[in-house]
Amino acid sequence: MTTSAKSDNEIHNNKPKELLVIRPICEMLGRIGRMEQVLGDCLTRLEEEGVRVTLVEKVSELEDIPMPGKKVIFAICLSESGVNLEYYRLLEAFRLHPHCLDGSVGGIIVDGASDLYTKALARRMAFSANSSGCTFPGKPLVEATGTLANFRVLSQITGKSVEEVYALQVENLMRKVLDFNLTDAGWRHPYDTPSAAPLHIAAIHSGSRKTSNTLLLWDMIRRNLPKDTVVEEVSLRNGSIQDCRGCTFETCRHFGEKEDCFYGGIMTEKVFPAILRSDAVMLISPNYNDALSANLTAMVNRLTALFRTHDFSKKKIYSLVVSGYSGGDIVSEQILGAFCFNKNFILPGRFAIVETANDPGAILNVPGIETKARTFARHMW
């Protein structure tokens, strides 16, 4: 797999437009027809408009393709068992080449044979590609379950069949990836001059500074941010935060229009304003039983009210995940699913720093942790 870097002009001014479609071949021939039809129709239209399309089906075909700076669609078809063996070879390639997608922008299409497995596979794809440098715009996933039942609501709203909705979503995603400008999203080459505009970060956590390794890691990163960085740190630990009550769409939108929520409290007093003012959200999350903590989960659920009435597509999500034992990747995938797939936040390349530390303060003894923190901080600005 070729990982040589491109010049800034090649990365930022990709003219004519080019699209790399990676469709890991699925040997279950009966399952590829639907995706082939949808992809084929869309790619034909793009090529007629002058877009240069490259389609690959095997990881070995990527050996001679420079990956950095590419606009990429990952199109994955699943068997009845939810498996695509070439997909796993693709994950292996990304994990073995951690810079192969630097400066790239991606979108994901998953077509399943059942109503299970599609989203879990998409999260793992996004996390692995992101760890190799791929940025994902907000809502980068088109998920086609076996029955296409997940498109029924859009079908009712638009008056189109679920098959037509599927095809339209695929085309919209491809155009979003092609049009997404990394420089507008704050991306720069590692050797570029930092942006003159100060970064505004909403840092949200629910930990205790007496015991939290995750907060210690955040402190290390924060010390390495430019002095003019604006940080609004919100702790959910000392305030009572109730989970979403499941209001109707109309009720949720009504409160969201007022930058409010049915339950009010710390969410509307501190979290909502901090997020609205921010360029990026930093979610500081220890691994609690291979999941986000209850307070952070409630925060994500309650954020729906604001999402219904505000555009998050220019905001970025970053996260720090520290596990006592293992499973940091699982939590990171939950975060990218909630904020990028669901709430429309940009997922910058290498959005998460994931570490393991057991006893209080143990994060300070992780080999090279100061360098990792400094690198991550520079990556943010």
Side-chain angles (χ1 to χ4, degrees), residues 205 207-216 218-219 222 233 237 284:
H205 68 87
S208 167
R209 290 199 172 274
K210 293 181 180 179
T211 59
S212 175
N213 281 303
T214 320
L215 282 172
L216 281 175
W218 164 237
D219 289 341
R222 185 171 180 174
E233 191 170 304
R237 180 177 178 81
I284 303 166

Side-chain angles (χ1 to χ4, degrees), residues 74-352:
F74 305 98
I76 306 150
C77 186
L78 303 183
S79 68
E80 292 284 350
S81 63
V83 172
N84 179 321
L85 295 179
E86 194 66 19
Y87 157 81
Y88 289 103
R89 297 185 184 99
L90 186 62
L91 295 190
E92 180 182 41
F94 292 158
R95 294 170 187 175
L96 291 175
H97 300 86
H99 294 281
C100 66
L101 293 170
D102 283 354
S104 65
V105 177
I108 302 172
I109 304 165
V110 182
D111 193 317
S114 75
D115 287 353
L116 301 177
Y117 314 121
T118 49
K119 189 157 286 178
L121 181 141
R123 284 182 175 182
R124 181 52 50 98
M125 179 78 258
F127 180 72
S128 297
N130 180 264
S131 298
S132 291
C134 186
T135 292
F136 289 91
K139 290 190 174 292
L141 170 64
V142 175
E143 175 193 13
T145 61
T147 62
L148 298 182
N150 57 314
F151 291 133
R152 285 177 185 164
V153 172
L154 279 176
S155 174
Q156 293 169 358
I157 293 172
T158 62
K160 299 180 183 296
S161 69
V162 289
E163 292 80 9
E164 289 173 322
V165 171
Y166 176 24
L168 183 61
Q169 292 290 300
V170 167
E171 183 160 348
N172 288 343
L173 175 61
M174 289 187 176
R175 294 186 184 279
K176 176 190 288 188
V177 169
L178 283 168
D179 294 340
F180 188 83
N181 191 321
L182 278 171
T183 52
D184 289 345
W187 185 89
R188 61 187 177 84
H189 190 277
Y191 301 106
D192 285 351
T193 302
S195 171
L199 181 67
H200 193 135
I201 301 171
I204 303 171
H205 68 87
S206 62
S208 167
R209 290 199 172 274
K210 293 181 180 179
T211 59
S212 175
N213 281 303
T214 320
L215 282 172
L216 281 175
L217 178 56
W218 164 237
D219 289 341
M220 280 188 273
I221 291 170
R222 185 171 180 174
R223 285 197 299 270
N224 284 282
L225 292 171
K227 292 183 179 179
D228 61 353
T229 302
V230 179
V231 177
E232 289 190 71
E233 191 170 304
V234 181
S235 172
L236 304 178
R237 180 177 178 81
N238 298 323
S240 99
I241 177 168
Q242 293 177 283
D243 205 345
C244 178
R245 71 188 291 269
C247 291
T248 64
F249 175 86
E250 291 76 14
T251 300
C252 189
R253 183 174 59 185
H254 168 75
F255 281 101
E257 288 171 348
K258 300 178 180 180
E259 297 175 9
D260 202 350
C261 174
F262 177 85
Y263 280 126
I266 193 171
M267 282 296 297
T268 57
E269 294 166 7
K270 292 186 177 181
V271 176
F272 283 7
I275 289 178
L276 288 176
R277 286 190 288 262
S278 71
D279 303 305
V281 171
M282 168 62 76
L283 200 67
I284 303 166
S285 175
N287 179 355
Y288 281 28
N289 302 304
D290 293 335
L292 287 173
S293 68
N295 283 342
L296 291 179
T297 298
M299 184 274 295
V300 171
N301 293 339
R302 295 274 301 279
L303 192 58
T304 300
L306 202 62
F307 166 68
R308 293 201 190 282
T309 56
H310 291 76
D311 179 17
F312 294 156
S313 66
K314 300 298 183 184
K315 298 181 184 295
K316 292 174 281 188
I317 177 67
Y318 294 96
S319 73
L320 312 180
V321 180
V322 178
S323 301
Y325 299 95
S326 64
D329 54 331
I330 295 174
V331 177
S332 298
E333 289 169 15
Q334 292 172 356
I335 294 169
L336 73 84
F339 281 87
C340 180
F341 285 9
N342 189 276
K343 296 294 191 291
N344 207 27
F345 281 72
I346 296 168
L347 192 76
R350 300 183 188 85
F351 90 105

Side-chain angles (χ1 to χ4, degrees), residues 57 153 167 358 381:
E57 292 187 332
V153 172
N358 308 103
W381 51 269

Side-chain angles (χ1 to χ4, degrees), residues 16-36:
K17 290 183 177 180
E18 298 180 13
L19 185 65
L20 173 62
V21 179
I22 302 176
R23 188 187 65 190
I25 191 167
C26 180
E27 295 177 358
M28 297 290 290
L29 295 178
R31 290 304 313 151
I32 65 175
R34 185 170 69 180
M35 175 177 276
E36 278 192 336

